Amino acid sequence: MAGERRRRGGDGPRERPRERLRDRDPKLRQQQKTPRGSGRVRTVLVLTAAAAALALGLAAAVAEWNRWSEVSRLVTPHPAPPAVPPGSTGPLASPTYFWGTYRPHVYFGMKTRSPHAVVTGLMWLQHGGNLRHTSEQNNGVSRYGWLMHDGENFGVQEIRDEGLVLRTEFVKQPGGDHGGDWSWRVTVKMEGPAPLLSLFFYVATDGQGTLRPVLENGTRLAAVAGTAEELGDFTLTFLPPTGEGGEGHKYASYNFLAAGMPGLHRLTDLVRQSLRESSVFSPPGRPRRRYFGVSSTGGLPGETPRGQLLLHQVTLEPPAVLEVTLESGSAAGVRHGRLAGPALSAALAQHVATFERRFEDTFGLGARGVSLPQRRFAQAALSEMLGGIGFFHGHSLLRSEHREQAVPGIESMLFTAVPSRSCFPRGFLWDEGFHLLLLSRWDPALARDILAHWLDLLNADGWIPREQILGDEARARVPPEFVLQHSETANPPTLLLALERLLPDAPLPYLRRIFPRLRAWFEWLNRTQAGPEPFTFRWRGRDTDLERFLNPRTLSSGLDDYPRASHPSAEERHLDLRCWMALGARVLAALAERLGEPLAHYRDMAAALSDNDLLDRLHWAPELGTFADFGNHSAAVALRWHRAAPVPGRPPPAPQLRREVREAPRPQFVGALGYVSLFPLLLQLLRADSPRLPALLGSMRSEKQLWTPFGLRSLARDSPWYLRRNTEHDPPYWRGSIWVNINFLALRALHGYAQAAGPHRERAAELYRELRHNLVANVFQQYEATGFLWEHYRDSDGTGQGCHPFAGWSALVVLAMAEDY
């Protein structure tokens, strides 16, 4: 029996009740078309779908985790020890630099290097005119700027405003534990009829500190008694005005304002809103006149105060002299009288003499036979840069390339020079390297301090945002489209250009502090800006709206609208970035060697990026006869007017300039001869005997290409993009104008090639002499005519263009005058 059961079981399945029923029921017989075991298939499918959903969920979770992790790193400080030692900017560690004119966006003001500083400043109003406070372009102020400023202890500035001449001077005096004392002198004169003039001296807090008014006769704010965490107790005294020369009291009317401060960025609005034409100026024996005087209003409606403002308004008829003194409570025991009147005059005279001696010792222009007017110009160029150093505190607004939502960045402090007090009163990464070339000659310790502040902006990935917009005051001056900083966007590492100059004399402890941060920054550049082939590099962050731009901009390169490949792609090779990386590797190798750190990686990279044969293979364009970018490119592009289709019931749409591509792009070298083409020469990567040097020197000297009587133009005159608009609203920028920073690099390189043994030595020397004369003569001539250094200069006649004053890299003309490279 047992064997029979085994045999039956082995022959096939036994008949089941459901199978017998199916044989009798037609509907169930129809279901026999479904394969047997389909239930198991359905189960497997369900399980597979569940597994897939789980996998997708896990993938989504991983992607979200990666996005979160990236954002987290974006706003996490770099773990290396800070380059600026904690406490080193405070009043005890750095009393010389604690107080300063660190508010470059105002015509005259001072603050401390503190996160929530007490700020002081000046406004003025010619009655019948406009209230002046923040330095603005094209507002009727015909010229202004520092004539002398040593960056530490004193400064002299002249401002001309519709016949009014204001001379602002300050002197600092050391002593005590809180940065010492300082004094201001403001001298006012009129060229022509003297209208009624009001001067507004103010002191304000922003988050910490208290102020108490000290009134005289109930109407005149004679002084402010204040206290703050980093200032201790202090007294700000407003001395009565005197006549020209500081003799005899001057009749004046007084108003004062005490108000809550919603933020320093609203200071001008607060004062303007408080003005009422109800005050009366009534000098003895003279007609009475009404004028606008401040009156307490309780602050701006609907805004919560976070600080205090006390303002002293003095209304008078020029000429007059006014003085303000700040006396630190902790300096009382070492103070030898108030720094005012004759004592202030004597201190100013001493500082002027010291400044002039130091300037000559540093740059030697007098010994070179430079004329006195040109020496005064050079002093003003340096002084305007020193007077444009600012101290900023706050958060940048950042966006990751993988996340649309913006996030506030690391709470940061930045001590930096600014490109322009009117247009760009904030920190710019690639500008600062050029600034430091000049500052390192005047004050190496100051330059090292600024460089360290920039390196402390590194996040966990090693990225430094290229534009630093820290604090409400800085953000109020920036168009909204430029506020966001994108995490994939780099900037030329010009800080390393400055470090190369600072390196021989920099103290080893300083170099050890900055080395980990420099290494992290350079590795970030090397990783994130890598190109399609080994030893190639590509700027990220090019514009993506191809129909809008004649040539999509590359803001990250610093050269903005300089023509690149017409169709951005991952296959681009950018020549200038490759040269910057070669410079960076060279400097890091030298730094590592000085510190006894491993240097093979940087030395090998510098050798590869300086290899002239490899440079030829990747970037020499035989058909163009020059070095060039490579990418997906078409030269047959143009902007054409287009009008969108009308929508019924709506006004006809305005026409727009849109790009048309008449010939499809293809991988090729970009025929845009200009500054980018010169980079192997500018950064002196070409050997002195390079067969490519004659072509570059020829392009530099060709008037059909880059040569002008005023300096080298940025794009060849025979280029199809020369002086072409990039959009309907964007005029040409780096498409023909003369820029001092690149001309300085050209002078520096030509000077080097003129001294190196090689077949092109004499040609380089000849070009150097001509170019130096042309550049210096034109920048000086434009300063004499306008009172300003300019952002760039027109190639047709040398006229200053763009922002002014622009004492950022345009002040490099001082080093060119001194032939100090």
Side-chain angles (χ1 to χ4, degrees):
M1 294 290 297
E4 189 176 350
R5 285 196 299 270
R6 285 197 298 270
R7 190 168 51 247
R8 198 162 45 230
D11 291 342
R14 289 184 297 172
E15 185 183 48
R16 295 184 178 89
R18 180 174 177 85
E19 289 171 337
R20 290 194 297 269
L21 180 62
R22 184 175 56 209
D23 291 339
R24 292 192 295 267
D25 188 346
K27 292 181 180 180
L28 291 178
R29 282 200 305 270
Q30 182 66 28
Q31 292 180 5
Q32 287 180 329
K33 296 179 181 178
T34 302
R36 295 176 63 192
S38 61
R40 291 193 297 272
V41 172
R42 282 194 296 272
T43 302
V44 170
L45 289 174
V46 169
L47 290 174
T48 303
L54 180 60
L56 287 173
L58 286 172
V62 168
E64 183 59 29
W65 167 261
N66 288 337
R67 284 193 294 270
W68 179 88
S69 177
E70 182 182 2
V71 171
S72 176
R73 294 179 64 80
L74 185 68
V75 299
T76 300
H78 195 273
V84 179
S88 63
T89 62
L92 287 174
S94 183
T96 302
Y97 292 108
F98 184 60
W99 273 106
T101 51
Y102 302 144
R103 305 181 66 211
H105 64 291
V106 302
Y107 287 108
F108 186 48
M110 292 175 67
K111 65 180 287 189
T112 57
R113 293 204 297 179
S114 309
H116 300 286
V118 171
V119 304
T120 61
L122 169 71
M123 304 180 190
W124 71 91
L125 173 66
Q126 294 189 69
H127 290 275
N130 295 312
L131 181 67
R132 308 291 196 200
H133 180 214
T134 56
S135 51
E136 308 283 351
Q137 286 250 98
N138 306 317
N139 66 347
V141 178
S142 57
R143 49 169 53 181
Y144 63 96
W146 294 99
L147 305 178
M148 293 185 182
H149 196 305
D150 67 356
E152 299 175 73
N153 300 307
F154 99 112
V156 179
Q157 178 181 218
E158 186 174 273
I159 304 168
R160 292 179 175 267
D161 177 19
E162 298 176 352
L164 172 68
V165 181
L166 281 167
R167 185 179 178 90
T168 69
E169 299 166 294
F170 78 92
V171 171
K172 288 159 56 180
Q173 184 170 256
D177 298 332
H178 299 90
D181 301 343
W182 53 254
S183 295
W184 291 357
R185 176 178 288 166
V186 178
T187 305
V188 296
K189 299 179 182 179
M190 286 299 303
E191 295 175 341
L196 208 55
L197 172 71
S198 285
L199 296 165
F200 306 82
F201 299 93
Y202 65 83
V203 56
T205 63
D206 186 27
Q208 66 100 11
T210 58
L211 306 173
R212 181 174 60 84
V214 179
L215 298 178
E216 181 181 88
N217 299 325
T219 58
R220 178 180 177 272
L221 183 63
V224 173
T227 185
E229 183 179 346
E230 287 194 287
L231 275 180
D233 296 329
F234 63 92
T235 303
L236 193 70
T237 303
F238 307 107
L239 300 174
T242 62
E244 192 172 9
E247 297 183 2
H249 287 294
K250 182 84 177 181
Y251 177 82
S253 293
Y254 301 100
N255 301 75
F256 80 93
L257 174 64
M261 274 289 300
L264 295 176
H265 63 297
R266 301 302 308 276
L267 206 158
T268 309
D269 295 333
L270 177 59
V271 174
R272 186 181 289 117
Q273 187 254 358
S274 74
L275 290 170
R276 301 286 185 273
E277 195 178 15
S278 56
S279 298
V280 178
F281 183 77
S282 54
R286 302 277 300 280
R288 294 160 55 92
R289 283 185 280 177
R290 288 191 174 276
Y291 68 91
F292 285 92
V294 293
S295 60
S296 294
T297 60
L300 291 172
E303 300 199 31
T304 303
R306 66 187 197 198
Q308 289 178 267
L309 168 69
L310 289 178
L311 179 142
H312 172 58
Q313 178 181 354
V314 186
T315 302
L316 46 70
E317 294 175 320
V321 178
L322 301 96
E323 293 179 354
V324 179
T325 66
L326 180 135
E327 294 171 306
S328 170
S330 63
V334 296
R335 183 178 300 117
H336 302 291
R338 174 174 285 170
L339 191 62
L344 179 56
S345 297
L348 280 166
Q350 182 180 354
H351 281 295
V352 167
T354 301
F355 174 82
E356 291 187 328
R357 285 195 303 271
R358 180 180 173 186
F359 188 87
E360 178 60 24
D361 291 344
T362 303
F363 300 108
L365 299 188
R368 302 178 67 86
V370 175
S371 68
L372 181 60
Q374 284 194 323
R375 295 203 304 272
R376 293 284 183 236
F377 153 68
Q379 289 177 355
L382 170 69
S383 297
E384 183 66 5
M385 179 182 282
L386 289 164
I389 291 175
F391 184 82
F392 304 92
H393 171 261
H395 303 266
S396 292
L397 199 58
L398 311 177
R399 190 165 75 187
S400 162
E401 60 182 318
H402 299 301
R403 193 181 186 97
E404 285 297 314
Q405 186 178 2
V407 294
I410 304 162
E411 184 175 356
S412 304
M413 295 183 292
L414 179 62
F415 188 48
T416 183
V418 304
S420 169
R421 290 168 62 189
S422 61
C423 291
F424 307 116
R426 54 192 182 275
F428 284 78
L429 179 55
W430 97 294
D431 293 65
E432 195 59 25
F434 289 110
H435 300 163
L436 293 179
L437 289 174
L438 179 57
L439 294 178
S440 64
R441 285 294 292 120
W442 178 253
D443 189 340
L446 173 64
R448 291 195 298 267
D449 192 13
I450 289 173
L451 176 58
H453 272 84
W454 273 96
L455 294 177
D456 276 349
L457 299 173
L458 247 70
N459 75 354
D461 288 322
W463 173 59
I464 302 176
R466 70 181 189 91
E467 191 170 341
Q468 292 296 318
I469 308 167
L470 304 177
D472 292 336
E473 280 192 291
R475 192 163 297 160
R477 300 292 296 269
V478 183
E481 64 268 28
F482 296 116
V483 170
L484 269 183
Q485 302 299 298
H486 298 265
S487 65
E488 78 277 14
T489 302
N491 230 194
T494 56
L495 295 181
L496 293 166
L497 190 68
L499 179 61
E500 190 171 39
R501 183 164 195 150
L502 289 163
L503 191 55
D505 300 316
L508 284 176
Y510 171 81
L511 295 178
R512 289 193 182 97
R513 284 201 311 274
I514 68 172
F515 181 65
R517 292 177 171 273
L518 285 168
R519 182 172 55 199
W521 181 38
F522 186 76
E523 292 306 321
W524 179 87
L525 286 164
N526 195 33
R527 181 177 68 254
T528 65
Q529 310 298 301
E533 300 179 36
F535 303 111
T536 65
F537 296 90
R538 176 173 66 89
W539 294 112
R540 302 308 199 264
R542 295 194 64 193
D543 284 309
T544 55
D545 187 351
L546 301 187
E547 290 189 3
R548 180 185 171 200
F549 297 97
L550 178 66
N551 189 270
R553 296 171 305 176
T554 313
L555 297 177
S556 52
S557 73
L559 304 179
D560 295 17
D561 68 340
Y562 188 96
R564 307 280 181 167
S566 61
H567 291 66
S569 72
E571 302 308 308
E572 286 183 87
R573 307 196 295 259
H574 290 139
L575 172 63
D576 53 333
L577 179 51
R578 187 183 193 278
C579 295
W580 284 121
M581 294 300 290
L583 167 81
R586 182 177 78 209
V587 175
L588 276 167
L591 176 57
E593 183 174 25
R594 176 133 191 244
L595 293 175
E597 296 281 347
L599 59 89
H601 169 66
Y602 302 114
R603 183 188 57 207
D604 294 347
M605 184 176 181
L609 292 176
S610 301
D611 184 292
N612 282 203
D613 294 334
L614 182 58
L615 179 66
D616 264 14
R617 183 177 71 80
L618 294 169
H619 285 288
W620 180 259
E623 67 276 21
L624 303 174
T626 191
F627 291 103
D629 284 349
F630 185 90
N632 194 31
H633 181 63
S634 171
V637 296
L639 293 176
R640 294 282 184 266
W641 287 104
H642 289 264
R643 188 186 295 274
V647 177
R650 294 185 181 179
Q656 292 182 323
L657 273 178
R658 309 299 288 178
R659 186 173 82 164
E660 288 184 353
V661 181
R662 298 190 298 270
E663 183 179 307
R666 60 181 176 83
Q668 61 179 309
F669 286 108
V670 180
L673 176 65
Y675 285 167
V676 165
S677 314
L678 300 180
F679 258 85
L681 179 151
L682 296 176
L683 297 183
Q684 300 175 68
L685 301 181
L686 292 181
R687 299 188 306 267
D689 62 350
S690 169
R692 304 307 184 196
L693 267 178
L696 295 187
L697 297 175
S699 296
M700 292 170 73
R701 189 58 185 84
S702 170
E703 295 182 7
K704 292 182 179 179
Q705 294 182 317
L706 302 182
W707 190 264
T708 81
F710 319 106
L712 299 176
R713 58 169 66 93
S714 45
L715 190 64
R717 198 171 67 177
D718 58 7
S719 167
W721 291 278
Y722 171 67
L723 295 185
R724 294 280 298 279
R725 299 185 71 87
N726 206 33
T727 73
E728 178 182 351
H729 304 292
D730 294 329
Y733 201 40
W734 292 83
R735 298 187 179 184
S737 291
I738 297 160
W739 295 78
V740 173
N741 63 327
I742 304 298
N743 274 266
F744 176 80
L745 290 181
L747 287 173
R748 178 176 173 267
L750 290 170
H751 188 262
Y753 285 118
Q755 294 181 328
H760 316 299
R761 183 175 186 175
E762 292 184 6
R763 180 65 167 151
E766 179 187 2
L767 283 183
Y768 168 77
R769 287 190 296 270
E770 289 186 78
L771 178 59
R772 176 175 172 270
H773 172 269
N774 291 351
L775 183 72
V776 171
N778 185 65
V779 175
F780 170 67
Q781 182 181 1
Q782 293 301 312
Y783 177 84
E784 287 286 280
T786 66
F788 296 114
L789 289 167
W790 292 78
E791 185 180 9
H792 50 99
Y793 295 84
R794 192 158 60 206
D795 67 323
S796 59
D797 58 10
T799 299
Q801 293 183 304
C803 293
H804 63 279
F806 195 93
W809 59 43
S810 293
L812 287 172
V813 68
V814 178
L815 293 180
M817 294 171 74
E819 295 190 272
D820 186 348
Y821 306 108

